[in-house]
Amino acid sequence: MKKIINQVDHMVDEMCQGMVKAHPNQIQYFAQYKVITRQEMKQNQVALISGGGSGHEPAHAGYVGYGMLDAAVCGDIFASPSSIQIYHAINQVATDQGVLLIVKNYSGDCMNFDTAAEMAEDDGINVKAVYVNDDIAVKDSLYTIGRRGVAGTVLVEKIAGASAERGDQLEEVYRLAQKTVDHVKSIGFALNSCTVPAKGTPTFELGDNEIEFGVGIHGEPGIERRTMQSAKALANDMLDQLVAELSLVTGDEVIVLINGLGGTPLHELYILSNEVHHYLNHLGVKIEDTIVGNYMTSIDMAGASISLLKTDEEIKTLYNFPVKTIALNK
Amino acid sequence: MKKIINQVDHMVDEMCQGMVKAHPNQIQYFAQYKVITRQEMKQNQVALISGGGSGHEPAHAGYVGYGMLDAAVCGDIFASPSSIQIYHAINQVATDQGVLLIVKNYSGDCMNFDTAAEMAEDDGINVKAVYVNDDIAVKDSLYTIGRRGVAGTVLVEKIAGASAERGDQLEEVYRLAQKTVDHVKSIGFALNSCTVPAKGTPTFELGDNEIEFGVGIHGEPGIERRTMQSAKALANDMLDQLVAELSLVTGDEVIVLINGLGGTPLHELYILSNEVHHYLNHLGVKIEDTIVGNYMTSIDMAGASISLLKTDEEIKTLYNFPVKTIALNK
């Protein structure tokens, strides 16, 4: 294993320190609980918190800022932050308007975020949570009951973040976050495995011409191993499944997120995006906007995912609300 | 070789198509000459053009927009665009105020950009050029006489772009671009090789615990093969050389670019950035700003480079000028 690190045990802390030193006007870092918050805390709006295992950067610390999150809680690589970490984050950013937790649907994350929410409610803080489960590849998986939360989480954070920033009440921010969860679906594939630093070897092995179709963002198994295909064939297969899941028909509108898993060159993502546009144009589905890049990664995995968010006027208005974070700016 | 492409011969064109479809309000694509320009062309300011071989995305098409480039000319993977392509780009964006070409110092690029400039000058267009040679690793290399142009090019485009956007005359934009070239220095290392699609196998081989120190962005040999080191040791060695080259002393100010070569996770770049801050803080060098991410890549190469731009009030003012491009927003 070759990685640009010092010690495996220190890498999440050193990453957070590196982030806050690079962006001192935007974020601050509470090292004891590995919590990153905005530099300027909100006063009278709903506060939004996400987090989870590290290794998915820029998720979630890269989305802390105006129009998105108020705090990100950083667990170890691919391990949920503890309930104590999350409880600390809630205390750090909570306002009288309450707190919304945006949780990717993994059993460990759900348990720890729920425990932290109960602790904070005992303190009189109003807390609600949504559980993102956008990955349509498999139901029940390693670490998960139900469907996994993957790149669609970024869009949930964007929409809910806009709702909170414009001053919506907690019930309304929650409703819009849950509506986004209900309308965003994703599926991905891996060309090779990630290497978790603490393990030091690839999580799984793929043949020279083999891919894992439907892979999870921790290297969990997907739908099947299959022979490598063209960008067009991959896009078409993924979109057949996404379109069916969202019941998309001519005249519908979507936001597209073409997400790299960490080790994929940007030009390959744009080639995939080109095929997604071909497919959706042919179907008569309007594309409101397209985001292309590394937004929810799996360490150094080569591969990509496609997320579609079915939009309406309400979601589009929030999507087009300004956002100023490290990783997403509009 | 597993890559998300259709045919190797079509990948640059399909990438450009994917880019313009994803960002239709920002850029347009002239397919015949593989030129990407702003959606809204400048009228009365100096126009800036860069380009080169593809495979370095988001360079350079990702830097087309307000406050940076007016056009990017896309060659094949790791191959200079032809003089005809560049000549077409000049004609597409030239104004009465003239055109500045920002060329990475590779023999093929220099020859083709110079030929295109002569052709355009025959048409009565005022053209000047700067040649970026920020890579301090080696003098003379594969493809290059003198030093190579690498990630520092992005900062040259940022500073010159701001100068052009605020309405400086060509001589002044040229002076500031050349000043930036003179004040930006870079060095990088590879943990593994890139794989050029047309070749289909890695350009070079490294052992399980071996790196190429001083590598070029096309996989050209660097200073030496060495055993993998910690992030701190790598940063310190690179900074010793950069600081000596720029004669940095306590009280000087720099802008830092921590650049991923394509296959490196963002958290590793922030760990490297953290070490760069440690080193420069200890030296008493002030860091005006830090950019961390994939800005000048080498296809799927794992590794990183550090660029330092020594600043003064003139450069800082231009650096802080607004920029609205696909890959850089301030």
Side-chain angles (χ1 to χ4, degrees):
Chain A
M1 177 184 75
K2 285 182 282 192
K3 289 182 182 288
I4 310 170
I5 61 175
N6 292 304
Q7 288 182 54
V8 169
D9 288 351
H10 298 168
M11 62 181 286
V12 173
D13 181 61
E14 291 179 8
M15 167 190 79
C16 290
Q17 286 190 38
M19 287 191 83
V20 76
K21 285 175 192 157
H23 313 287
N25 299 327
Q26 292 175 269
I27 55 172
Q28 42 183 323
Y29 174 47
F30 297 87
Q32 189 179 355
Y33 298 102
K34 297 194 178 76
V35 170
I36 285 180
T37 71
R38 299 189 192 187
Q39 185 54 251
E40 287 185 42
M41 302 280 194
K42 270 181 191 162
Q43 298 300 327
N44 296 307
Q45 295 132 300
V46 172
L48 253 61
I49 300 174
S50 191
S54 293
H56 305 300
E57 292 71 25
H60 296 272
Y63 306 121
V64 171
Y66 183 86
M68 264 178 112
L69 300 178
D70 294 275
V73 197
C74 304
D76 284 338
I77 300 285
F78 288 179
S80 172
S82 70
S83 54
I84 298 296
Q85 287 180 267
I86 301 161
Y87 172 68
H88 180 80
I90 296 172
N91 272 301
Q92 203 69 46
V93 301
T95 70
D96 292 346
Q97 298 299 316
V99 174
L100 179 70
L101 307 178
I102 298 175
V103 187
K104 299 195 298 301
N105 187 41
Y106 298 97
S107 302
D109 291 79
C110 293
M111 190 175 69
N112 291 342
F113 274 86
D114 287 351
T115 302
E118 285 168 23
M119 292 161 69
E121 286 186 321
D122 286 347
D123 295 347
I125 299 171
N126 197 2
V127 184
K128 291 187 78 77
V130 293
Y131 307 89
V132 187
N133 59 350
D134 54 314
D135 187 350
I136 65 169
V138 291
K139 191 172 178 330
D140 301 339
S141 179
L142 286 173
Y143 323 127
T144 319
I145 297 177
R147 285 175 167 179
R148 303 175 295 221
V150 292
T153 311
V154 178
L155 296 171
V156 177
E157 293 172 6
K158 172 72 187 81
I159 301 300
S163 168
E165 202 75 53
R166 73 180 180 187
D168 290 350
Q169 300 290 301
L170 180 58
E171 278 299 331
E172 178 69 353
V173 179
Y174 169 78
R175 180 185 73 79
L176 288 160
Q178 186 59 50
K179 178 177 172 176
T180 309
V181 171
D182 295 340
H183 286 80
V184 66
K185 304 295 170 195
S186 305
I187 187 166
F189 62 93
L191 306 189
N192 65 25
S193 172
C194 52
T195 295
V196 178
K199 180 162 179 278
T201 54
T203 305
F204 57 92
E205 294 290 345
L206 287 172
D208 283 346
N209 199 29
E210 196 179 37
I211 66 172
E212 179 76 30
F213 188 80
V215 74
I217 57 171
H218 310 90
E220 308 98 308
I223 298 168
E224 62 177 10
R225 296 272 164 106
R226 61 167 72 163
T227 302
M228 182 63 191
Q229 295 170 285
S230 68
K232 182 180 281 295
L234 283 166
N236 289 354
D237 192 352
M238 294 159 87
L239 286 165
D240 283 348
Q241 300 190 39
L242 291 167
V243 162
E245 183 72 30
L246 286 165
S247 306
L248 292 179
V249 294
T250 301
D252 282 342
E253 284 195 343
V254 294
I255 291 160
V256 175
L257 169 56
I258 308 293
N259 175 58
L261 293 175
T264 299
L266 188 57
H267 60 247
E268 294 183 32
L269 299 180
Y270 275 112
I271 289 169
L272 186 64
S273 183
N274 190 44
E275 296 300 339
V276 171
H277 275 255
H278 273 306
Y279 182 110
L280 293 175
N281 288 342
H282 188 257
L283 189 65
V285 170
K286 180 165 181 275
I287 298 171
E288 169 71 12
D289 196 28
T290 311
I291 304 176
V292 182
N294 292 333
Y295 289 90
M296 177 70 73
T297 60
S298 179
I299 312 181
D300 53 352
M301 189 185 285
S305 63
I306 301 173
S307 301
L308 299 185
L309 169 59
K310 187 174 176 178
T311 61
D312 57 16
E313 289 307 312
E314 187 171 57
I315 286 181
K316 278 197 288 185
T317 299
L318 291 160
Y319 180 77
N320 291 315
F321 192 89
V323 61
K324 302 283 169 213
T325 69
I326 296 165
L328 197 65
N329 272 286
K330 282 175 76 81
Chain B
M1 176 183 75
K2 284 182 283 191
K3 289 183 182 287
I4 310 168
I5 60 176
N6 292 304
Q7 288 183 54
V8 169
D9 289 351
H10 298 169
M11 63 181 287
V12 174
D13 180 62
E14 291 178 9
M15 168 190 78
C16 291
Q17 286 190 37
M19 287 191 83
V20 76
K21 284 176 193 157
H23 313 287
N25 300 325
Q26 292 175 268
I27 55 172
Q28 43 183 323
Y29 174 48
F30 297 88
Q32 190 180 355
Y33 298 102
K34 297 193 179 76
V35 170
I36 284 180
T37 71
R38 299 189 193 188
Q39 186 54 251
E40 286 185 41
M41 302 281 193
K42 270 182 190 161
Q43 299 299 327
N44 295 309
Q45 294 133 301
V46 172
L48 255 61
I49 300 174
S50 191
S54 294
H56 305 300
E57 291 71 26
H60 296 272
Y63 307 121
V64 171
Y66 183 86
M68 267 178 108
L69 301 178
D70 296 276
V73 197
C74 304
D76 284 338
I77 300 286
F78 288 180
S80 172
S82 70
S83 54
I84 299 296
Q85 286 180 268
I86 301 161
Y87 171 70
H88 179 81
I90 296 172
N91 272 302
Q92 203 69 46
V93 301
T95 70
D96 292 345
Q97 299 298 316
V99 174
L100 180 70
L101 307 178
I102 299 176
V103 187
K104 297 195 300 301
N105 187 41
Y106 299 97
S107 302
D109 291 78
C110 293
M111 189 175 70
N112 291 342
F113 274 87
D114 287 351
T115 301
E118 286 168 22
M119 292 161 69
E121 285 185 323
D122 287 347
D123 295 347
I125 299 171
N126 197 3
V127 184
K128 292 187 79 75
V130 293
Y131 307 89
V132 187
N133 60 349
D134 54 315
D135 187 351
I136 65 169
V138 292
K139 193 174 178 328
D140 301 338
S141 179
L142 285 174
Y143 325 125
T144 318
I145 298 177
R147 285 174 167 180
R148 302 175 296 221
V150 292
T153 311
V154 178
L155 295 171
V156 177
E157 293 172 7
K158 173 70 188 82
I159 302 300
S163 169
E165 202 75 53
R166 73 180 179 186
D168 291 349
Q169 300 291 302
L170 180 58
E171 278 299 330
E172 179 70 352
V173 179
Y174 168 78
R175 180 185 72 78
L176 288 160
Q178 186 58 50
K179 177 176 173 176
T180 309
V181 171
D182 295 340
H183 286 79
V184 66
K185 305 295 171 194
S186 305
I187 188 166
F189 63 91
L191 307 188
N192 66 26
S193 171
C194 52
T195 296
V196 178
K199 181 162 178 280
T201 54
T203 305
F204 56 91
E205 294 290 345
L206 288 171
D208 283 346
N209 199 31
E210 196 180 36
I211 67 171
E212 179 76 31
F213 188 80
V215 74
I217 56 171
H218 310 92
E220 308 98 308
I223 298 168
E224 62 176 10
R225 297 272 164 106
R226 61 167 71 164
T227 302
M228 182 63 191
Q229 295 170 286
S230 68
K232 181 181 282 296
L234 282 166
N236 289 355
D237 192 352
M238 294 160 87
L239 286 166
D240 283 347
Q241 301 190 40
L242 291 168
V243 162
E245 182 73 28
L246 286 166
S247 306
L248 292 179
V249 293
T250 301
D252 283 343
E253 283 195 345
V254 294
I255 290 159
V256 175
L257 169 57
I258 308 293
N259 175 57
L261 293 176
T264 298
L266 188 58
H267 60 248
E268 294 183 32
L269 299 180
Y270 276 112
I271 289 169
L272 186 66
S273 182
N274 190 44
E275 295 300 337
V276 172
H277 276 255
H278 273 307
Y279 182 111
L280 293 175
N281 288 344
H282 188 259
L283 189 66
V285 170
K286 181 166 181 276
I287 298 171
E288 169 71 12
D289 196 28
T290 311
I291 304 176
V292 182
N294 292 333
Y295 289 91
M296 178 69 75
T297 60
S298 180
I299 311 180
D300 52 352
M301 188 185 283
S305 63
I306 301 173
S307 301
L308 299 185
L309 169 59
K310 187 174 175 178
T311 61
D312 57 14
E313 289 307 312
E314 188 172 58
I315 286 181
K316 277 197 288 186
T317 299
L318 291 161
Y319 180 77
N320 290 315
F321 192 89
V323 60
K324 301 284 170 212
T325 69
I326 296 164
L328 197 65
N329 273 285
K330 281 177 77 79

